[in-house]
Amino acid sequence: LAGENHSHDQMGASLMYVCICNPFSDKDVQKALDNPEIKNTTAHIYKACAGTGPNCGSCINALKCMIVD
């Protein structure tokens, strides 16, 4: 679909890039969410995946949707 950021990892599994400015995928987000040492907040998950803060911020809503309380 146009506008979607899909790719494949080295094993051929489908992944979706959540952020393009600081590239990380849905798999990176899931790994951060599964880590008990990382708080499940948008800021903490973003920093765990990107190593920095957001640039343009267009990915924040997608990231929020991935974080389930």
Side-chain angles (χ1 to χ4, degrees):
L1 295 171
E4 291 191 21
N5 302 312
H6 291 273
S7 187
H8 294 88
D9 64 14
Q10 293 177 355
M11 302 291 288
S14 179
L15 57 86
M16 179 186 73
Y17 279 94
V18 175
C19 181
I20 301 302
C21 298
N22 298 305
F24 62 86
S25 71
D26 57 334
K27 306 251 188 259
D28 298 315
V29 173
Q30 191 57 56
K31 188 186 294 185
L33 289 168
D34 291 342
N35 185 337
E37 295 180 14
I38 300 172
K39 285 180 143 183
N40 284 356
T41 66
T42 305
H44 285 97
I45 297 297
Y46 190 98
K47 183 155 180 126
C49 293
T52 186
N55 285 334
C56 74
S58 64
C59 60
I60 298 301
N61 283 336
L63 187 57
K64 284 180 181 178
C65 290
M66 297 176 81
I67 299 171
V68 178
D69 293 325

